[in-house]
Amino acid sequence: MGYLTAIKGILVKAKGIDAKLYDLVAIGEDGFGEVIAIVGDTYFIQVFTDVTGLSVGQRVEGLGMPLSLELGPHLTGHFFDGLGVSLEEEPFYHPTIRAETSYTFDFQPTVKKGQKVGKGAIIGTVSVKEGKQELSIPIIAPPTVGGVVEELYPGNHAIRGEPIAVISGTNVELSHHWPVRQPRPFKSRVWISQPLITGQRVVDTFVPIAKGGTLAIPGGFGCGKTVFQHTFAKYSDADKKVFVGCGERGNEMADFIESMRKRGKLHEVVVIANTSNMPLIAREGSIYSGVTVAEYLRDIGYSVLMMADSLSRWAEAIREVGGVMGILPAEEGYPPYLQERMQEFYSRAGCVKTFSDKKACLTISTSVSPPSGDFSEPVTQYASSLVDTTIFLSTELAYSKMYPAVDLELSFSKHRAQFANFWESTLKGTSKSIDDLLTLIHKGFDVEKMERIVGADALSDEQKVILHIFRFIRFNYLIQNAFDPKDVYTTPLKMAYIVSSIHSYYTYLTNMLKKGGKPKFQKDVEDRISKMRYADEASCKKLYDEVKGMLGYV
Amino acid sequence: MYEFRRLVKHKSVERVHDPVIVVRGLDANFGDIIRVEMGKEMRTGKVIAIEEDLYFVEIFEGTAGLNTSAIVSSTYEPITLPVSELMLGRVFNGIGEPKDDKSKLYSNKGWDVNGLILNPYFRDVPHEMIETGITSLDLLNTLVKGQKLATFASPGLDVLSLQMQILKQSITNSKGRFAVVFAGIGLSKDEEHFILSTIEEAQVADMSVLFLNSAKDPAMEALLTPRMALTAAEYLAHHIGLDVLVIMGDMLNYSNVLRNMASQKGELTVREGYPSYLFTDLASLYERCGTRRGKPGSITQLPFLTMPNDDITHPVPDTTGYISEGQIILTRTVAHAGVHPPIDILNSLSRMMHFAVSDKQAKLSNRVYHVYAEGKKFQDIAAMMGMDVLDEEAKLFVSLKEEIDELLLSQGANENRTLKQSMRIASQIVEKAPSI
Ligand SMILES: Nc1ncnc2c1ncn2[C@@H]1O[C@H](COP(=O)(O)OP(=O)(O)OP(=O)(O)O)[C@@H](O)[C@H]1O
Ligand SMILES: [Mg+2]
């Protein structure tokens, strides 16, 4: 048996244990950690639990497996710590590892005895009650198990310890273990083709997120990262959402579950909470737990959105470990391998063909918290170079309470052009309207800067039109109040109506200029457009038709 | 291998650094409190690392004056605070020793000062306001039970009287089962005197607990002061069931002690010399707030800190902003404009406010913000180009903004306004504004 030889806060050293790199070890009475380096006969262990009270000579024992999660039908609708242990039991948190065995489900096979099934294939379902709804959750064999179904045991089973089937001599249970740092396998990758509809106007039209894509939201404190992530979780059109509260606030987590519960949508989420006062090392693990749960949900066929709020806290945990290990830091104290870790993490997003031949996408959305709101810091830089969509939030806009405070000058989505078809099929002409308005917005920034220098009177008529429409878009389209039940979500069709209306109005004004006239702003047109975001789809269409009529497009 | 640790009781010091001494073969656990005897003098320290048989002990009072003849022994315990209901009405120093003339607090319960981790699943969403009697807070930036709301102040502003006003008034306005724990970090003698006399005069001592760390106390004690205060608060809130408001400051002093300690210990430092774990350390304090679903008792935190050079991007206010649920900004500019307390409402925000206020208040508060922002915009224009460039409506906004400054945002250090009064004053002003 092994014993502790040194204790340095989050890092301890041990000798005499039987363990491999990244294996879990038990420490003392109820502590545990993970082997992160082996030098000669010394094991370096990062500790997930409280180190206060440990002493040298105390027992350390290899557990013979890496940090793993129990993946099964018990996950959705529930709340776990960063290492996958249920948080629904004790009001004051004490980190441990504990197998979840108390959940039971009624298993109904969808395969027959004697049938041959592939590795990781769907073999049945369980049903769960959510309010009045009866929901069916697929059950898969572990990705390592396939072959001939030799036995089936329909009926009620605990998630662990009771076989539901025997496949080629191997017992299969409702849940299985998976090491969190190892991406789960799938049949093949599939092209990303669909937008993730979030209902956030500025996002969906100007900086869209792809189903299966990756997103980073860098922004200083109070700029709206968490509000964004919460709205994505509540309204986006992914089937399941995994929310990882990584080193952030407990009250926000409470608000999140409370509002999901009120909406009757708890069954759509898995919450992983490692708030900033929970063990630092588990914060590092929580991101991997989250993405592993998300991959599992993908593997049973769901479209999944995984959110991490905030990835910077995870990077900081990695930095702390590097610091104690004495790793020569690269930028701002971060170890040189941070970028590689980030890349490995983001690459777990994507669209795949599952072992059950379903197409399923895993989208990853991450908040980034740059110190002093300075976007040149390493985590922001690495993130924005690795992801498909970066939504930069502006401190200036947030301070003037213009939410969401998206800085459209910096933000970028590499999928925008790809989704032209989506917008064309929503409402003909919309994709050109979006392109033109985005160009106008970029011109608007320049004209606004110029106005500050030369004054409004010195602007040309064309510039006046640009500035006017730019501000009109800002106040009637880009800002969106997450706390107003009517404003918080806009359907793509409504977005298309509004964007097209503004585009028509802009075209109308430019035509006026082309004919050599002075621009005449139309208050009745503007009034109508400004009402559109609060209207339902039918009334929105009516307003759209009226606007078109008034501008002579009928 | 297991038994050797109980054999050695005392041991001599092998190396003396600042602020750490290295002891060989001590019998102690990581995090234990250590007693150090040097002649007649007693000092206290904590085990911060163990490497084979070498124990690294951080000495709270500093190591100046120690040498290798010091005798060291462990208490076998992490730092604890004896807790009991009798803490109410008492004054302690930063490490929980009585500072009043009453006796030491006897209690068989010592609570670990590193505190409890309230499981987020069992948290209630903060939804009830604390009436501080201060309009800029109650009406416009409501303090909500269970939240943490940091206050950033320009250097040199008198924040102590605001702290005392909030302490007094929140106790007076509460309907029982409410207490304030105050943690003063790095106080001067005058400040201590001011605190004690204010509390006595206002007759709120019974419902308050004071932890006063003086600027002259050993540096390390500044790091313990908020932990002591929060431990007391946790006992009163989660054990006794009181709603507890914790007012602490100056958290810049705290952070600077943390910075100095980290650099002495040769730890990884990042922006402006602050340790890489500044966020985690501050969060381990500020997260100790909240309410439990279905249980009485709550902890609300109002930490105060100075913004060096009025710079909100300085690492300490910046890191605090990333933890706090909103921020209250106090500036010299506002103070110079004659507004007291000098709260810059345009840059302040209580993120939890919408959970706790009526629709009516939310609308009124938005309206005040709107009128104020318009007024400020035109005031800025007028400051550059003269009042003449403004039209009548713009002039009206400017005068309404001035009225808000004078009648709504300014109030005396002893003026305790009910929310109703604040709302009435606000309505009377914004009623005169052109509708939007
Ligand atoms: N879309 C929105 N609509 C209305 N208010 C918003 C919106 N976005 C942000 N806010 C306001 O800004 C506040 C801060 O937003 P949020 O908590 O999302 O910031 P954050 O970027 O996550 O900050 P931190 O880094 O400190 O966690 C919210 O409490 C809310 O008052
Ligand atoms: Mg946030």
Side-chain angles (χ1 to χ4, degrees):
Chain A
M1 182 140 26
Y3 55 91
L4 280 179
T5 60
I7 304 154
K8 297 173 142 191
I10 52 177
L11 189 80
V12 300
K13 292 187 208 168
K15 281 189 174 150
I17 52 174
D18 178 17
K20 297 190 278 297
L21 190 66
Y22 293 125
D23 271 4
L24 281 181
V25 296
I27 305 167
E29 273 159 42
D30 57 358
F32 64 100
E34 187 182 35
V35 177
I36 55 165
I38 306 167
V39 180
D41 60 348
T42 301
Y43 289 74
F44 290 76
I45 298 162
Q46 57 176 1
V47 188
F48 294 118
T49 42
D50 193 5
V51 287
T52 304
L54 288 182
S55 57
V56 292
Q58 266 183 318
R59 179 189 79 99
V60 181
E61 195 181 346
L63 294 176
M65 61 168 188
L67 179 61
S68 305
L69 277 188
E70 186 83 54
L71 300 170
H74 62 294
L75 294 168
T76 43
H78 292 283
F79 208 79
F80 303 90
D81 76 359
L83 306 177
V85 177
S86 170
L87 282 174
E88 296 172 14
E89 281 160 37
E90 291 290 324
F92 291 103
Y93 178 68
H94 180 76
T96 49
I97 15 177
R98 184 176 65 220
E100 304 298 336
T101 48
S102 54
Y103 301 94
T104 62
F105 293 91
D106 189 21
F107 173 64
Q108 294 306 324
T110 50
V111 292
K112 295 219 166 58
K113 238 164 118 168
Q115 192 178 328
K116 220 173 153 301
V117 295
K119 285 178 180 177
I122 293 178
I123 57 167
T125 62
V126 297
S127 63
V128 290
K129 268 215 154 63
E130 173 75 34
K132 287 186 193 114
Q133 303 171 68
E134 190 75 35
L135 303 163
S136 153
I137 302 177
I139 299 296
I140 51 173
T144 48
V145 179
V148 178
V149 180
E150 288 159 3
E151 290 294 344
L152 283 169
Y153 306 100
N156 217 52
H157 295 286
I159 55 164
R160 285 284 287 161
E162 295 179 25
I164 54 164
V166 179
I167 299 177
S168 290
T170 308
N171 278 351
V172 173
E173 299 175 349
L174 282 174
S175 70
H176 62 266
H177 259 83
W178 191 263
V180 298
R181 297 187 195 279
Q182 189 180 325
R184 286 174 62 88
F186 42 81
K187 205 169 249 177
S188 58
R189 277 210 184 259
V190 177
W191 279 112
I192 285 175
S193 57
Q194 287 298 311
L196 180 83
I197 298 303
T198 68
Q200 303 303 297
R201 295 184 290 265
V202 59
V203 176
D204 292 354
T205 44
F206 297 123
V207 271
I209 308 163
K211 282 207 174 85
T214 47
L215 166 71
I217 315 171
F221 70 78
C223 285
K225 300 179 291 296
T226 304
V227 170
F228 248 151
Q229 300 266 35
H230 284 193
T231 3
F232 294 164
K234 289 180 200 164
Y235 299 101
S236 76
D237 66 344
D239 304 323
K240 300 286 170 191
K241 290 98 179 197
V242 179
F243 193 97
V244 184
C246 176
E248 294 289 306
R249 306 168 181 86
N251 283 335
E252 284 173 352
M253 304 301 299
D255 169 31
F256 180 66
I257 8 179
E258 185 55 29
S259 61
M260 290 311 279
R261 185 181 288 132
K262 272 196 199 134
R263 295 167 48 79
K265 296 268 178 165
L266 217 45
H267 62 276
E268 284 184 6
V269 296
V270 179
V271 180
I272 292 182
N274 186 270
T275 52
S276 57
N277 54 343
M278 286 158 104
L280 181 85
I281 299 303
R283 197 186 292 170
E284 196 261 341
S286 68
I287 292 289
Y288 296 104
S289 297
V291 73
T292 303
V293 169
E295 283 176 344
Y296 166 76
L297 294 170
R298 171 203 69 190
D299 292 348
I300 61 181
Y302 294 120
S303 157
V304 188
L305 170 64
M306 183 232 170
M307 287 149 287
D309 187 16
S310 152
L311 199 67
S312 296
R313 307 300 166 219
W314 167 82
E316 283 166 14
I318 292 177
R319 179 168 73 185
E320 284 311 298
V321 178
V324 183
M325 286 286 289
I327 302 218
L328 200 65
E331 283 173 275
E332 298 219 10
Y334 289 104
Y337 47 77
L338 175 66
Q339 189 171 14
E340 194 185 315
R341 295 265 176 97
M342 286 174 68
Q343 197 220 322
E344 282 163 8
F345 163 65
Y346 282 123
S347 68
R348 291 174 76 167
C351 293
V352 306
K353 196 165 164 201
T354 69
F355 288 127
S356 305
D357 287 320
K358 289 189 182 176
K359 185 187 165 183
C361 300
L362 164 52
T363 313
I364 293 182
S365 165
T366 54
S367 312
V368 176
S369 315
S372 312
D374 167 10
F375 294 142
S376 69
E377 61 93 33
V379 185
T380 308
Q381 285 299 311
Y382 298 156
S384 64
S385 70
L386 290 167
V387 298
D388 306 335
T389 304
T390 311
I391 298 180
F392 287 96
L393 300 180
S394 140
T395 312
E396 201 184 318
L397 289 176
Y399 268 118
S400 24
K401 305 210 158 57
M402 306 254 266
Y403 303 113
V406 176
D407 184 339
L408 279 178
E409 254 183 311
L410 296 177
S411 301
F412 182 77
S413 165
K414 78 175 193 205
H415 292 292
R416 205 179 65 75
Q418 200 183 339
F419 298 148
N421 289 338
F422 169 85
W423 287 110
E424 280 311 287
S425 63
T426 305
L427 181 74
K428 217 171 153 325
T430 308
S431 103
K432 182 172 165 21
S433 301
I434 292 174
D435 290 350
D436 288 355
L437 291 189
L438 193 57
T439 312
L440 173 130
I441 288 167
H442 284 288
K443 283 188 195 153
F445 287 117
D446 294 337
V447 178
E448 194 168 57
K449 277 174 210 149
M450 190 187 281
E451 186 208 22
R452 256 176 243 152
I453 301 165
V454 301
D457 295 340
L459 298 179
S460 72
D461 283 345
E462 194 196 338
Q463 287 168 330
K464 279 180 189 150
V465 168
I466 290 171
L467 195 59
H468 184 83
I469 299 290
F470 171 65
R471 290 195 172 136
F472 185 79
I473 296 175
R474 184 180 268 173
F475 288 105
N476 296 285
Y477 189 76
L478 299 181
I479 60 165
Q480 186 166 5
N481 186 349
F483 303 119
D484 176 330
K486 284 211 176 108
D487 197 22
V488 59
Y489 180 82
T490 303
T491 63
L493 183 58
K494 270 178 63 181
M495 292 184 204
Y497 285 140
I498 309 176
V499 164
S500 304
S501 303
I502 299 177
H503 186 259
S504 305
Y505 180 39
Y506 175 46
T507 316
Y508 167 88
L509 292 169
T510 27
N511 284 343
M512 218 177 233
L513 289 180
K514 275 189 203 134
K515 287 186 200 130
K518 284 266 163 202
K520 274 211 283 302
F521 300 124
Q522 308 290 314
K523 187 151 184 337
D524 43 357
V525 168
E526 292 181 10
D527 278 350
R528 279 177 180 72
I529 301 178
S530 67
K531 280 192 196 121
M532 291 170 90
R533 63 186 177 130
Y534 298 107
D536 57 32
E537 260 177 17
S539 324
C540 190
K541 160 110 179 38
K542 212 169 136 246
L543 289 163
Y544 164 80
D545 288 336
E546 283 172 23
V547 167
K548 288 262 172 173
M550 292 161 88
L551 298 172
Y553 280 87
V554 192
Chain B
M1 198 64 213
Y2 305 117
E3 286 311 309
F4 91 97
R5 54 182 292 270
R6 293 284 157 198
L7 300 178
V8 192
K9 280 276 179 213
H10 289 68
K11 200 70 197 179
S12 298
V13 174
E14 189 150 297
R15 274 186 269 157
V16 179
H17 301 280
D18 193 15
V20 177
I21 61 172
V22 185
V23 189
R24 191 179 288 279
L26 183 70
D27 176 21
N29 307 312
F30 184 85
D32 278 0
I33 290 299
I34 301 295
R35 299 271 173 239
V36 181
E37 277 176 68
M38 175 89 181
K40 284 198 204 89
E41 198 195 346
M42 271 293 254
R43 296 195 198 186
T44 310
K46 183 175 120 180
V47 178
I48 57 162
I50 311 174
E51 179 88 55
E52 306 275 349
D53 61 345
L54 292 181
Y55 289 73
F56 297 77
V57 179
E58 180 171 53
I59 306 297
F60 296 174
E61 294 87 351
T63 49
L66 289 186
N67 63 27
T68 52
S69 71
I71 302 293
V72 180
S73 61
S74 176
T75 63
Y76 303 116
E77 260 192 341
I79 308 176
T80 55
L81 176 75
V83 286
S84 104
E85 214 164 340
L86 300 175
M87 291 183 299
L88 286 167
R90 299 294 306 268
V91 184
F92 302 98
N93 69 5
I95 54 172
E97 294 163 350
K99 214 177 158 115
D100 45 21
D101 44 18
K102 293 180 214 148
S103 61
K104 204 168 162 179
L105 200 66
Y106 286 101
S107 152
N108 50 8
K109 276 176 279 191
W111 279 28
D112 182 348
V113 300
N114 290 314
L116 300 164
I117 301 176
L118 183 48
N119 177 345
Y121 185 77
F122 286 84
R123 276 180 188 268
D124 204 354
V125 183
H127 61 269
E128 231 180 289
M129 79 178 285
I130 291 180
E131 273 200 65
T132 64
I134 291 170
T135 304
S136 307
L137 298 180
D138 296 357
L139 175 67
L140 302 171
N141 293 285
T142 314
L143 180 61
V144 188
K145 256 178 214 168
Q147 84 163 145
K148 48 201 172 285
L149 186 58
T151 297
F152 305 159
S154 293
L157 286 178
D158 172 21
V159 289
L160 193 59
S161 37
L162 178 60
Q163 291 171 353
M164 286 301 117
Q165 188 173 6
I166 295 172
L167 185 153
K168 289 186 302 200
Q169 295 181 170
S170 58
I171 294 177
T172 314
N173 297 343
S174 71
K175 294 160 196 78
R177 305 209 64 75
F178 182 90
V180 175
V181 175
F182 178 86
I185 302 160
L187 300 168
S188 69
K189 267 267 155 288
D190 285 348
E191 288 172 324
E192 283 186 18
H193 180 75
F194 174 70
I195 294 167
L196 294 171
S197 58
T198 314
I199 288 185
E200 196 166 323
E201 252 166 57
Q203 299 182 325
V204 290
D206 286 358
M207 290 323 269
S208 53
V209 189
L210 308 182
F211 289 87
L212 306 182
N213 164 261
S214 122
K216 293 201 306 280
D217 290 337
M220 181 64 194
E221 293 192 15
L223 300 187
L224 286 172
T225 310
R227 293 186 164 79
M228 295 288 164
L230 288 165
T231 307
E234 277 165 352
Y235 180 80
L236 296 173
H238 300 315
H239 197 78
I240 308 286
L242 301 184
D243 288 318
V244 184
L245 171 63
V246 183
I247 301 175
M248 20 189 220
D250 183 333
M251 294 307 287
L252 181 70
N253 292 346
Y254 171 93
S255 309
N256 289 347
V257 171
L258 196 72
R259 177 187 61 190
N260 300 345
M261 291 276 182
S263 90
Q264 280 172 343
K265 287 186 272 181
E267 289 169 336
L268 178 67
T269 57
V270 284
R271 304 211 158 195
E272 301 194 24
Y274 290 93
S276 54
Y277 53 76
L278 181 66
F279 173 86
T280 300
D281 187 278
L282 290 175
S284 75
L285 301 177
Y286 298 147
E287 269 300 300
R288 292 168 73 176
C289 64
T291 44
R292 271 168 71 188
R293 225 184 312 133
K295 297 275 179 196
S298 63
I299 299 179
T300 312
Q301 287 190 40
L302 201 54
F304 280 74
L305 60 112
T306 302
M307 279 186 288
N309 297 319
D310 276 330
D311 177 10
I312 198 169
T313 69
H314 177 279
V316 178
D318 181 62
T319 306
T320 308
Y322 271 118
I323 306 166
S324 165
E325 286 143 357
Q327 68 284 335
I328 304 296
I329 310 269
L330 303 174
T331 68
R332 248 180 312 213
T333 324
V334 177
H336 287 161
V339 178
H340 178 89
I343 297 177
D344 175 1
I345 60 160
L346 288 181
N347 288 314
S348 302
L349 172 72
S350 164
R351 295 195 201 173
M352 296 272 154
M353 174 171 170
H354 63 278
F355 294 121
V357 303
S358 65
D359 272 359
K360 191 172 163 216
Q361 183 187 339
K363 284 214 181 82
L364 180 58
S365 162
N366 283 339
R367 188 89 180 106
V368 171
Y369 263 104
H370 175 77
V371 171
Y372 195 82
E374 286 295 292
K376 173 88 170 49
K377 185 176 80 189
F378 294 126
Q379 206 177 33
D380 289 346
I381 295 176
M384 279 192 316
M385 319 213 274
M387 242 355 214
D388 299 345
V389 299
L390 301 184
D391 61 19
E392 285 313 306
E393 191 174 296
K395 280 184 187 148
L396 177 60
F397 274 114
V398 172
S399 85
L400 291 176
K401 188 241 167 205
E402 283 164 355
E403 259 182 66
I404 292 174
D405 275 335
E406 200 176 316
L407 302 175
L408 193 66
L409 305 183
S410 297
Q411 66 189 88
N414 289 310
E415 189 182 350
N416 185 1
R417 271 192 211 144
T418 63
L419 177 64
K420 254 206 184 123
Q421 286 170 328
S422 296
M423 287 178 73
R424 196 169 53 234
I425 303 171
S427 312
Q428 281 164 0
I429 301 172
V430 297
E431 248 165 34
K432 295 180 247 172
S435 57
I436 348 164

